[in-house]
Amino acid sequence: PATPPPAPPPAPDATPGHHLDFGSGPAHAHAPGLSQAQMLRIERDILGKNDARAAENRAWLAARGIFALNLVSSPGSGKTSLLVRTLQLLGGRVPAAVIEGDQQTEFDAERIRATGVPALQINTGKGCHLDADMVARALPRMALAEDSLLLIENVGNLVCPAAFDLGEAHKVAILSVTEGEDKPLKYPDMFAAADLMLLNKVDLLPYLAFDAGRAIDFALRVNPRLRVLRTSATTGEGLDEWIAWIEAGLAAARARHAAGAHA
């Protein structure tokens, strides 16, 4: 008799309405040939090593009073334009440096350097995010001043960077009004990991069918403690509040540094 065909692989969880959910298992992901338990072990190993390296970065930065921010968003949110405007508004009052993360090119780092602020480019190749080891290798190459500001522009991606701590003081999620207002619900891990959300390019709201209140409500559903600022690098809206938030964080980092030095 003919050999029966092999049984099909187990299907992901399915619900009515032609819906396949590949993120419903313990690993919240799917990889062909790997069980959920195997995926969990691999993820814990990778993230455990990353978190240990991030803790070293955090201690290194704290020992120097450096206030580090990890800026995360999807591509095209206006991160680099907002960074350039931020550095211009700080106007050299605060010593600052930037780490730029992209898969290829130095275009964004060159835009930062044009402001007079040093920038180090990290190209990740096929990698979709920065990790703590990349940042650890960058820090000693940058001659960072004590009591300074370090801005890290992560690779444009709302998925992977959420899981990778770099040693920063805060993740800052940037959501542009040219994107979907439901992004916080579609990519909840990023907005859950952030302490501040900048709703950017708000100068374009009169020309778009984007409900800013709805987007903010969705973000707060994911993360009720999230602070939200509406910003525009073009008109300057909200940038005074953004700069004040940065300066408050800098002051706190410097105070902790000074207290540690006199302990």
Side-chain angles (χ1 to χ4, degrees):
T3 303
D13 289 343
T15 56
H18 309 289
H19 174 204
L20 292 176
D21 186 354
F22 289 91
S24 61
H28 303 292
H30 169 72
L34 289 178
S35 70
Q36 292 282 303
Q38 289 171 316
M39 291 179 68
L40 276 175
R41 284 195 296 272
I42 293 169
E43 180 180 351
R44 286 171 180 161
D45 183 52
I46 292 171
L47 291 181
K49 290 176 180 176
N50 182 82
D51 287 350
R53 193 69 153 146
E56 293 172 2
N57 290 348
R58 188 167 283 109
W60 190 95
L61 293 163
R64 293 159 177 78
I66 298 171
F67 184 53
L69 299 176
N70 180 6
L71 277 63
V72 291
S73 77
S74 57
S77 68
K79 281 197 308 297
T80 309
S81 294
L82 193 64
L83 264 179
V84 168
R85 191 82 174 100
T86 299
L87 294 168
Q88 290 170 340
L89 288 171
L90 287 170
R93 300 194 316 273
V94 173
V98 175
I99 292 175
E100 280 289 342
D102 278 305
Q103 290 186 313
Q104 298 292 342
T105 81
E106 284 205 33
F107 293 153
D108 288 349
E110 289 167 0
R111 289 178 64 188
I112 297 298
R113 291 176 193 135
T115 70
V117 171
L120 185 145
Q121 180 73 50
I122 296 178
N123 287 136
T124 61
K126 292 185 178 181
C128 58
H129 58 88
L130 296 177
D131 63 33
D133 187 63
M134 293 176 184
V135 172
R137 293 169 185 246
L139 292 176
R141 297 168 62 99
M142 299 187 70
L144 297 172
E146 291 196 351
D147 298 327
S148 65
L149 173 65
L150 175 62
L151 298 167
I152 303 169
E153 183 176 355
N154 218 314
V155 179
N157 179 359
L158 278 176
V159 182
C160 307
F164 284 82
D165 183 6
L166 306 180
E168 71 273 9
H170 302 283
K171 280 186 176 67
V172 178
I174 300 172
L175 174 64
S176 166
V177 302
T178 55
E179 304 174 62
E181 60 209 18
D182 55 0
K183 280 281 180 75
L185 299 184
K186 287 184 174 181
Y187 305 97
D189 288 354
M190 180 59 75
F191 294 89
D195 296 310
L196 177 69
M197 183 179 94
L198 302 181
L199 186 63
N200 199 33
K201 301 186 182 181
V202 292
D203 56 291
L204 298 178
L205 281 172
Y207 313 102
L208 301 168
F210 182 95
D211 188 331
R214 193 163 180 249
I216 293 169
D217 176 63
F218 286 158
L220 293 176
R221 285 191 210 177
V222 171
N223 182 356
R225 63 177 176 75
L226 188 66
R227 183 174 177 186
V228 179
L229 300 177
R230 302 185 186 210
T231 57
S232 167
T234 301
T235 65
E237 181 175 345
L239 296 189
D240 287 346
E241 293 174 275
W242 164 233
I243 295 293
W245 186 86
I246 290 174
E247 290 180 333
L250 270 165
R254 290 169 172 173
R256 288 190 295 270
H257 180 214
H262 293 101

